[in-house]
């Protein structure tokens, strides 16, 4: 039997492999790595890895168009992160859930998660993630005529902060 340290090291290596594959848009490989790591983490009670693994799997599924599966993985990540006070994982999962619910037409749920991500980013001074959260919130609000102006305001806040931080790709996203 493997020691818990070896199991942790292997699951963490699979997490990193999943992230690399995801960045390279090799989504089947990313999904396989995240699922293998999740399986190992569950078998060896490596609870500390579960939020990160579920966020990675959720974003991979979202990128691949499996929105409902992404929502399930991101909801698991969000619950685990909330109960274990893992702010970064909670914020990433909230932004993913906002995007996923927005894609399925669930605007009310999407806005709840986007607002949560904005609040967490502001409260914990996670300014780079706050840019993404504001942009996400703005995009959700801007599509509805009744909230269009509020959406534009949120995107402008994201643009102002992105410029202040020198975040060139985010500046381009805000201007698109």
């Amino acid at each position: 039997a493997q020691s818990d340290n070896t199991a942790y090291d292997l699951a963490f290596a699979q997490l990193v492999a999943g992230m690399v594959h995801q960045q390279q848009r090799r989504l089947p490989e990313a999904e396989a790595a995240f699922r293998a790591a999740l399986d190992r983490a569950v078998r060896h009670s490596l609870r500390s890895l579960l939020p990160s693994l579920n966020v990675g799997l959720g974003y991979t599924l979202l990128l691949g168009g499996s929105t409902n599966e992404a929502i399930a993985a991101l909801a698991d990540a969000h619950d685990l992160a909330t109960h274990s006070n893992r702010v970064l994982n909670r914020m990433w999962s909230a932004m993913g859930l906002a995007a996923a619910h927005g894609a399925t037409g669930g605007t009310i749920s999407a806005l709840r998660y986007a607002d949560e991500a904005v609040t967490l980013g502001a409260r914990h001074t996670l300014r780079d993630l706050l840019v993404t959260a504001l942009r996400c919130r703005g995009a959700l609000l801007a599509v509805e005529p009744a909230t269009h102006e509020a959406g534009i305001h949120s995107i402008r806040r994201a643009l102002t902060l992105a410029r202040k931080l020198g975040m060139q790709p985010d500046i381009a996203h805000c201007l698109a």
Side-chain angles (χ1 to χ4, degrees):
Q2 294 175 331
S3 73
D4 285 342
N5 289 339
T6 302
Y8 182 92
D9 292 344
L10 290 171
F12 188 81
Q14 289 169 314
L15 165 67
V16 173
M19 293 167 62
V20 169
H21 291 310
Q22 185 188 77
Q23 289 296 313
Q24 295 171 341
R25 295 303 188 259
R26 295 171 44 201
L27 301 180
E29 292 90 344
E31 182 179 347
F34 287 125
R35 288 191 187 280
L38 273 165
D39 179 62
R40 185 179 309 277
V42 169
R43 279 187 289 120
H44 293 278
S45 300
L46 305 172
R47 294 189 48 79
S48 63
L49 286 176
L50 294 177
S52 297
L53 291 167
N54 276 304
V55 167
L57 178 61
Y59 273 89
T60 298
L61 294 166
L62 192 56
L63 287 168
S66 299
T67 309
N68 290 332
E69 281 185 88
I71 289 171
L74 290 165
D76 285 347
H78 187 266
D79 290 345
L80 290 164
T82 300
H83 290 84
S84 60
N85 200 28
R86 305 280 296 276
V87 175
L88 287 174
N89 289 126
R90 182 176 172 191
M91 191 167 177
W92 275 112
S93 59
M95 287 186 293
L97 285 164
H101 283 291
T104 62
T107 307
I108 293 172
S109 292
L111 283 171
R112 180 173 61 86
Y113 286 115
D115 288 343
E116 177 184 347
V118 168
T119 299
L120 288 168
R123 180 184 310 141
H124 297 284
T125 60
L126 301 166
R127 296 185 312 163
D128 57 333
L129 292 177
L130 179 57
V131 169
T132 304
L134 285 166
R135 207 175 71 228
C136 178
R137 182 179 187 278
L140 291 165
L141 289 169
V143 298
E144 297 295 328
T147 57
H148 182 77
E149 286 303 316
I152 297 301
H153 177 72
S154 186
I155 292 169
R156 285 187 181 137
R157 282 182 57 204
L159 177 59
T160 299
L161 184 53
R163 283 184 172 147
K164 183 177 180 180
L165 298 173
M167 298 170 67
Q168 298 306 319
D170 287 277
I171 292 168
H173 283 290
C174 289
L175 293 173

